[in-house]
Amino acid sequence: MQFPREEFFAPGHRGCAGCGAAIVARLLLKATGKDTIISNATGCLEVMTTPYPETSWRVPWIHTAFENAAATASGIEAAIKVLKRKRGKYADKKIHVIAIGGDGGTADIGFQSLSGAMERGHDLLYIMYDNEAYMNTGIQRSSSTPFLAATTTSPAGSKIRGEDRPKKDVAMIMAAHGIPYVATACISYPEDFIRKVKRALEIEGPKFIQVLQPCTTGWGFPPEKTIEIGRLAVETGVFPLYEIDHGNFKITYKPAKRKPVREYLKMQKRYRHLTDEDIERIQKYIDEKCKLLGL
Amino acid sequence: MCEVKVITGTSAAAEAAKLADVDVIAAYPITPQTTCVEKLAEFVANGELDAEYIKVESEHSAMSACIGAAATGARTFTATASQGLALMHEMLFIASGMRLPIVMMVANRALSAPINIWNDHQDSIAERDTGWIQIYAEDNQETLDSIIQAYKIAENENVLLPVMVCLDGFILTHTVEPVIIPKAERVRDFLGVYEPKHAYLDPDRPITQGPVGVPDCYMETRKQLEDAIERSKRVIKDVNAEFAELFNRKYGNGLVEAYNLDNADTVLVAMGTVCGTIKYVIDQLKKEGKNVGLLRIRTFRPFPKEDIKDLLKEVDNIAVLDKNVSFGFNKGALGIEMSSILKNKKVCNYIVGLGGRDIKIEDIKKIISHVEKAEDDETMWIGLKE
Ligand SMILES: Cc1ncc(C[n+]2csc(CCOP(=O)(O)OP(=O)(O)O)c2C)c(N)n1
Ligand code: SF4
């Protein structure tokens, strides 16, 4: 695949070295092109890209609060529609309205506004960048934090072994809304991610993509390993890549042979407390999930 | 030339939004606001109003969607009350901080707990420091007129702030009164088409709205907001005067309305519908040869300090009526503000009508005789059961 050369996400943001969220934004804008409006939830991505008077965004961008990127985007989409109709503004242009939020801003506090926007059928794409915890406030667990991962609010102690609940399956919950397009993606598979964004933008109505984004700080790995870890998440079946296009489910990347989950876990500090027994439990859980998806 | 309809306050608000030809409505129902958003839905369904109507899943999202729409350059409207307004609280700061000219009708209603759907002002008063302009209407005509004026004020380049137009729940929202509905073209001429100069999300002119405001710049943004709301005083007065010229109706000087103030040494200060009752009592007393005045506060924010000081210069007995309480201070918000600007005067505060408790003519008379006898500032709860 030929990647567009033009950058709408400017270099020089304030993210950590090796930050996967920045890669999500950069790839996303390569796929959407210029005629894009971004509604960004509070979180790492927003904070690291817009310390006034600087900005990393070369497309119109708005941040309002933590839990309402989707509701804000609803207003933007409605405004464009009516201003086109009544005043010929934003004329003869297909503008892509994109809401983007972290797993906290999407799966937890922003869940209601996301569900509302999807259910109402707005023509917008929601991107959940999933780093599996609240990173901006210092690595607290979210409902998207995986089973047994250690965070500052789900620490590994002598009695409790880290996060005690499995990861919430937001993509499948979105699919249950019956929207035309739902997909999962990972920054380590940029062609796949870009293709999915492009496909989503061809479709009118609400679309949702959950992008796994390794976080050096929150997961505990050296900055040069971001892509490798993301790849392992997919190769092990921890984060399967699929799309549901108008109800048709399709695995978009099938590892020839799934790697053991251990390989993925052992590279990250958030899992360093795990015993062999813990790893076995996770492996069993992942095996069951993959079986369900036909992986 | 114009039409007279006998309608409720919520219908008057909906008619005003239609006359302002709003582009985006995002709203969630709550008593006693509901009939406003139902009416607007009807207008849109019948093609009487060309607007996008977003049926959001909460008031928080209603304000968020209004912010998104206003930041794109659309004229937006929403309406709420009580718990709904409280749920919007976070977003109210964001609307004003981003300097978006959103207009909202607030049907004033008491806050839970205990749950109470009737009128007082605790809900909007709790939002007084959010950077919104607050206008309190006395009747349905003023509701309609104020919403039209609100767009002209909010969109003024020297202001660029959101405005809430507050009307007393049930007392206005559910009571029919004759309301003059101006001609749509004349309102269009008065308001003009909203052309955003700073708030637009346009790929051909990409800007970043709502960035991180570091300590080096945040305080300046707050001062700019304060300066803008201060400047709005002039704009509100001008808009009121221009409106009077075109539509033949005016509301005091826009900020305050003086009623029988000349030579009165006892003056009541209040907001909203209770002013109607007060005016009635004043007229009665006048027939009995007694001179009592009313100073109606129309804009609680900006607070018309200068006008108040000026108008009450010669007044000895000042009775402030509040339909809200600042718990732990035993005064209402208006009472506190009046005391703070009238330092050497006797300012008594009367807590009235909480949660829809009736305010009777007798109560007003009781307040007048109390303040005249009071030696110093006092607070009294009116109509409390023993
Ligand atoms: C109403 C509200 N509650 C809490 C916060 C504090 N807060 C800001 S960002 C954040 C976590 C964001 O997590 P996530 O959405 O996963 O994004 P990330 O930081 O990982 O990019 C929290 C808790 C807030 N801004 N607003
Ligand atoms: S904490 Fe994680 S997501 Fe946030 S900037 Fe650093 S690497 Fe990126």
Side-chain angles (χ1 to χ4, degrees), chain B residues 86-145:
Chain B
L87 187 57
M88 280 181 186
H89 176 69
E90 182 197 24
M91 299 318 294
L92 297 187
F93 278 100
I94 290 167
S96 62
M98 293 178 80
R99 307 291 300 275
L100 299 173
I102 297 163
V103 174
M104 166 160 69
M105 177 206 90
V106 173
N108 281 117
R109 163 184 155 182
L111 282 163
S112 294
I115 192 165
N116 174 300
I117 59 169
W118 296 274
N119 168 248
D120 67 31
H121 292 162
Q122 196 78 44
D123 53 356
S124 53
I125 289 296
E127 307 301 340
R128 70 172 184 184
D129 297 330
T130 53
W132 281 60
I133 290 170
Q134 295 194 340
I135 299 175
Y136 289 79
E138 190 186 320
D139 57 30
N140 292 351
Q141 183 71 58
E142 189 178 3
T143 300
L144 180 136
D145 294 345

Side-chain angles (χ1 to χ4, degrees), chain A residues 5 19 41 150 162 169 223 279 281 295:
Chain A
R5 292 189 71 86
C19 172
D169 198 340
I279 294 174
R281 281 170 75 190
L295 249 186

Side-chain angles (χ1 to χ4, degrees), chain B residues 191-386:
Chain B
L191 288 183
V193 175
Y194 171 49
E195 265 303 332
K197 296 228 162 52
H198 82 299
Y200 48 79
L201 289 166
D202 182 347
D204 289 336
R205 300 180 292 171
I207 56 167
T208 289
Q209 295 189 56
V212 176
V214 293
D216 195 42
C217 71
Y218 182 83
M219 214 161 147
E220 284 67 29
T221 68
R222 298 293 100 172
K223 181 63 166 65
Q224 286 169 6
L225 209 157
E226 174 57 33
D227 291 348
I229 203 160
E230 183 61 33
R231 284 196 299 271
S232 76
K233 286 179 182 169
R234 180 76 258 154
V235 175
I236 293 166
K237 284 183 175 178
D238 291 349
V239 166
N240 185 58
E242 194 186 332
F243 189 90
E245 220 161 273
L246 272 157
F247 299 98
N248 233 342
R249 285 185 299 282
K250 63 187 251 188
Y251 300 98
N253 70 2
L255 304 174
V256 293
E257 183 197 341
Y259 190 83
N260 199 42
L261 272 193
D262 293 341
N263 304 321
D265 58 6
T266 298
V267 169
L268 279 66
V269 183
M271 307 193 296
T273 50
V274 72
C275 295
T277 316
I278 295 171
K279 285 175 183 170
Y280 176 82
V281 174
I282 288 174
D283 292 348
Q284 267 195 342
L285 292 177
K286 208 166 180 180
K287 277 184 218 144
E288 296 163 22
K290 201 167 150 49
N291 207 13
V292 175
L294 164 71
L295 180 58
R296 177 165 79 92
I297 307 296
R298 182 164 181 256
T299 62
F300 184 62
R301 285 292 180 271
F303 195 64
K305 289 181 203 168
E306 301 77 10
D307 296 288
I308 295 171
K309 278 190 194 165
D310 189 42
L311 287 163
L312 298 182
K313 247 186 343 243
E314 312 288 336
V315 180
D316 295 328
N317 309 311
I318 298 167
V320 183
L321 280 69
D322 263 298
K323 284 190 184 181
N324 70 92
V325 196
S326 180
F327 300 107
F329 204 78
N330 196 31
K331 274 180 187 284
L334 188 54
I336 295 170
E337 321 251 84
M338 294 295 291
S339 297
S340 87
I341 62 166
L342 301 172
K343 291 191 189 72
N344 302 317
K345 285 191 176 287
K346 178 177 68 181
V347 182
C348 290
N349 195 198
Y350 300 89
I351 309 296
V352 297
L354 299 186
R357 177 73 43 97
D358 214 11
I359 306 166
K360 301 188 183 73
I361 287 164
E362 294 321 307
D363 296 329
I364 305 293
K365 289 185 172 160
K366 189 167 152 189
I367 289 169
I368 294 167
S369 58
H370 180 270
V371 72
E372 284 174 349
K373 274 182 235 125
E375 307 244 303
D376 206 346
D377 296 2
E378 279 178 39
T379 297
M380 198 174 163
W381 289 56
I382 299 295
L384 263 193
K385 290 183 192 155
E386 300 299 312

